[in-house]
Amino acid sequence: MGQGPVLGIEATAHTASVGIVQPAEDGGVEILTNVSASYLPTEGGIHPREAANHHAEVLPRLIREALAEASIIPGDLEAVAFSQGPGLGPCLRTGASAARALALTVGRPLVGVNHCVAHLEVGRAVLGCQDPVLLYASGGNTQVIAYAAGRYRVFGETLDIGIGNMLDKLGREMGLPFPAGPTLERMALSGERFLPLPYSVKGMDVAFSGILTAALNLHSKGEPTDDLAMSVQETAFAMLVEVTERAMAHVGRDEVLLGGGVAANSRLREMATIMAGERGARCFAPPPRLCVDNGAMIAVLGEMMLDAGATTPLEESGVMQRFRTDEVEVTWR
Amino acid sequence: MSPDDAWKGERVIAQGAEAVLEEGTYLGRQAVLKLRRPKGYRHPQLEETIRVSRTRAEARALRDARSAGIRTPAVLDMDAEGGRLVLEGISGPTVRASIDGLEEEDRSRVAHALGGTLGRLHAAGLVHGDPTTSNFIMEDLPPEGPVSLAVLDISLGGRAEGVEERGVDLRLLGEAFGATHHAHQDLFEVILEGYREAFPDGADEAIARMEVIGARGRYVTKGSREETQEGDG
């Protein structure tokens, strides 16, 4: 680990967040602070430009708050890390601009990090798992990732929409606020009758548009929303857990790590834990605040990369909307 | 006769994600029991449906592939409700376990056979559904000439003649091959060559679809598929 604190800026989608971490005495990292503000559309989904305006407005305040909460001054920072991608262009650029401005002001290096890899590394750093298969389930991303020969590689992913997008679209039809996941989770607790929905698993890949279409149909036919919420969760999550288990068997790993906003769902966490238990493996689920998009995970990966000397020169700090997980050369582990 | 009476288990040979494989004898003959145990994480109703339908689908697909001349284990007995299939034992290393250690030329022949086997499945109106290198067995490696591979675990596939299903199969093979045998990713071209030779009528269309599916499923800016998306700001 590096010597001093690293500040991380996250702005890939609807959440702007700033976290600060510092090396811990045991060789791990300590999260000093993690503050966020989310853009919530009044109706419909995320409008990238509006989200970016929101982030531009709140980031200076979040940075001040984070520094104050961590009781450090900007000059104490060793580096400034930021989400370089993947994500929505306007949001990414806002986060990157804030990071560049701060790094230039304090004269410290920038560390551009891959958002998806950060979801994995925060789990390893905080929960102490060694070499897990990551189930990364969020709004736009649904991937099963594991480390192999110097890279994090995607073993499975969604063939159409991210699981969170699917839940949000269903929620929107039901008149639920964005993001719909937490409300659907509560409704599912009262669901009693299981309604069959398309179960679409192809190898280690999944597809969700079939579930969405079928669920919207059942909704328009007046099926109780609680039953529908329960059935959608049970079906979609079983698909996720199945492909995760298949990846674990395929690459021979006995740890599963959860990440992404949808991994904050208690039922998904329970299902992954049962799966791991049945195959003699262990399930690691970060606290929900570290599952959702957050600045601390960006700072965690920034700290690891800084330690390995992987800083980002200004001229290479442009954002990459389609930054692939397996494009990152992993030099820090 | 139910499998319980005729089956004598000896040892567990693999604990996959989908099922436990046990070696033993069936009516005195060497065989493998494939047992789909209930998954505790799945809703009981979903669990029942998946276990029974996959067991049936696998038996059917194995039979269909065999009648198309593709080497697959013979189905000796089935109890769909119990999630049990008794299969002929096929001996040999999986392609996954063996390909990285082969000489370059043999490795290329095996890659060619991998594509060829998938091509013959597709030409027979079947798709595999989970074509990772773990699901192809190298029964023997002749010093020269074509390599014959046996196919296992078709439970996620079955009868399907759509270009989409074929494209997905190819993409899965490419993805699994690239992720597992990253030192030899360039061999995917050889795999596709074998595929084209075995399936001249549909290969090009399926390969084109594979590329489309790749572009579609890969990370395309969050929310951009249906939400409003502005250009670079």
Side-chain angles (χ1 to χ4, degrees):
Chain A
M1 286 295 149
Q3 298 300 306
V6 169
L7 180 144
I9 298 179
E10 158 64 24
T12 54
H14 67 280
T15 298
S17 176
V18 177
I20 299 176
V21 305
Q22 71 177 14
E25 295 195 353
D26 63 358
V29 290
E30 185 189 354
I31 295 174
L32 300 178
T33 179
N34 192 20
V35 292
S36 304
S38 288
Y39 154 77
L40 296 175
T42 41
E43 59 179 51
I46 299 177
H47 191 298
R49 169 56 51 201
E50 285 177 13
N53 288 343
H54 165 270
H55 299 344
E57 203 177 299
V58 300
L59 273 173
R61 172 173 64 79
L62 291 176
I63 291 171
R64 278 197 306 275
E65 276 178 27
L67 289 167
E69 246 183 64
S71 305
I72 60 173
I73 55 165
D76 293 338
L77 295 173
E78 281 283 310
V80 179
F82 68 103
S83 270
Q84 200 166 8
L88 297 170
C91 301
L92 285 170
R93 280 187 284 272
T94 305
S97 301
R100 283 186 208 110
L102 181 59
L104 284 173
T105 308
V106 298
R108 295 284 189 240
L110 275 172
V111 185
V113 314
N114 179 293
H115 172 91
C116 304
V117 174
H119 272 292
L120 194 145
E121 289 297 0
V122 73
R124 286 209 317 139
V126 173
L127 303 174
C129 46
Q130 300 297 314
D131 197 5
V133 168
L134 170 72
L135 168 61
Y136 172 29
S138 70
N141 289 298
T142 304
Q143 298 185 330
V144 179
I145 300 169
Y147 182 76
R151 309 232 161 189
Y152 284 108
R153 294 175 197 275
V154 177
F155 283 83
E157 63 190 318
T158 177
L159 294 170
D160 46 37
I161 53 176
I163 181 160
N165 277 353
M166 185 269 284
L167 297 173
D168 287 335
K169 280 176 184 149
L170 177 63
R172 203 183 307 160
E173 286 304 309
M174 291 177 165
L176 309 180
F178 172 91
T183 318
L184 287 170
E185 181 178 357
R186 275 196 301 280
M187 291 164 66
L189 293 175
S190 319
E192 284 169 5
R193 203 162 45 97
F194 180 79
L195 307 164
L197 293 163
Y199 186 93
S200 183
V201 165
K202 325 219 173 202
M204 287 181 263
D205 288 342
V206 291
F208 294 114
S209 52
I211 295 186
L212 180 61
T213 309
L216 291 175
N217 262 329
L218 291 172
H219 178 60
S220 66
K221 282 181 187 145
E223 290 288 354
T225 48
D226 291 353
D227 291 347
L228 203 49
M230 183 270 280
S231 307
V232 166
Q233 277 198 179
E234 289 297 322
T235 308
F237 293 171
M239 287 162 51
L240 291 180
V241 174
E242 179 181 343
V243 294
T244 306
E245 182 173 17
R246 189 160 296 128
M248 291 170 75
H250 186 72
V251 299
R253 301 283 156 78
D254 58 5
E255 294 175 332
V256 56
L257 172 66
L258 303 180
V262 180
N265 185 296
S266 309
R267 177 57 181 149
L268 178 58
R269 294 159 86 93
E270 177 186 47
M271 288 166 77
T273 306
I274 295 172
M275 177 274 280
E278 284 181 355
R279 57 180 298 110
R282 288 180 70 194
C283 179
F284 297 83
R289 72 197 141 76
L290 293 179
C291 281
V292 298
D293 290 352
N294 67 89
M297 69 179 192
I298 304 303
V300 164
L301 178 49
E303 182 84 53
M304 292 174 172
M305 289 174 68
L306 177 70
D307 200 37
T311 58
T312 308
L314 197 60
E315 62 274 15
E316 286 169 25
S317 68
V319 302
M320 294 182 268
Q321 294 188 51
R322 302 183 184 195
F323 196 2
R324 294 274 318 162
T325 302
D326 48 20
E327 273 177 58
V328 185
E329 201 183 329
V330 180
T331 51
W332 60 88
R333 58 174 273 177
Chain B
M1 179 179 282
S2 88
D4 289 320
D5 306 322
W7 169 256
K8 286 192 176 54
E10 284 159 12
R11 66 185 187 104
V12 171
I13 48 175
Q15 172 134 26
E18 180 77 14
V20 175
L21 291 180
E22 206 183 325
E23 212 169 51
T25 56
Y26 179 75
L27 296 172
R29 177 180 171 184
Q30 279 297 318
V32 170
L33 170 70
K34 181 165 182 173
L35 175 62
R36 288 182 161 79
R37 291 214 181 105
K39 300 284 186 192
Y41 66 82
R42 278 200 283 245
H43 188 281
Q45 250 172 288
L46 188 56
E47 168 56 40
E48 192 68 18
T49 317
I50 289 177
R51 198 154 33 97
V52 174
S53 70
R54 286 209 184 141
T55 305
R56 284 212 182 99
E58 179 165 18
R60 198 181 312 121
L62 286 171
R63 278 189 211 111
D64 287 354
R66 271 177 87 75
S67 39
I70 295 153
R71 176 77 172 117
T72 60
V75 179
L76 305 179
D77 205 341
M78 172 171 78
D79 164 19
E81 277 68 29
R84 299 167 67 99
L85 272 184
V86 181
L87 304 170
E88 170 199 1
I90 289 189
S91 52
T94 64
V95 170
R96 177 192 155 91
S98 56
I99 193 165
D100 288 335
L102 294 176
E103 297 288 326
E104 197 176 332
E105 197 182 321
D106 288 340
R107 188 157 55 231
S108 176
R109 285 160 71 212
V110 171
H112 192 275
L114 208 50
T117 310
L118 192 67
R120 281 158 63 218
L121 270 176
H122 287 185
L126 296 163
V127 294
H128 189 285
D130 186 20
T132 64
T133 46
S134 311
N135 284 329
F136 293 84
I137 301 280
M138 211 165 69
E139 279 186 286
D140 104 277
L141 183 66
E144 55 188 50
V147 179
S148 159
L149 300 175
V151 185
L152 304 180
D153 201 2
I154 322 188
S155 56
L156 295 175
R159 197 143 280 288
E161 312 207 18
V163 64
E164 174 77 11
E165 287 92 339
R166 289 172 181 157
V168 168
D169 242 8
L170 277 174
R171 185 188 125 79
L172 291 172
L173 179 59
E175 198 177 48
F177 193 85
T180 315
H181 309 284
H182 21 82
H184 306 296
Q185 293 199 40
D186 48 322
L187 278 183
F188 193 57
E189 280 309 311
V190 180
I191 291 179
L192 291 182
E193 201 178 291
Y195 180 76
R196 282 198 189 90
E197 280 172 30
F199 185 34
D201 294 341
D204 288 342
E205 201 186 4
I207 291 169
R209 182 61 65 97
M210 166 191 76
E211 281 156 8
V212 171
I213 293 165
R216 195 202 296 158
R218 297 282 171 192
Y219 192 96
V220 187
T221 311
K222 277 185 186 172
S224 69
R225 293 179 193 89
E226 293 193 18
E227 315 302 346
T228 319
Q229 172 78 62
E230 289 190 353
D232 285 7

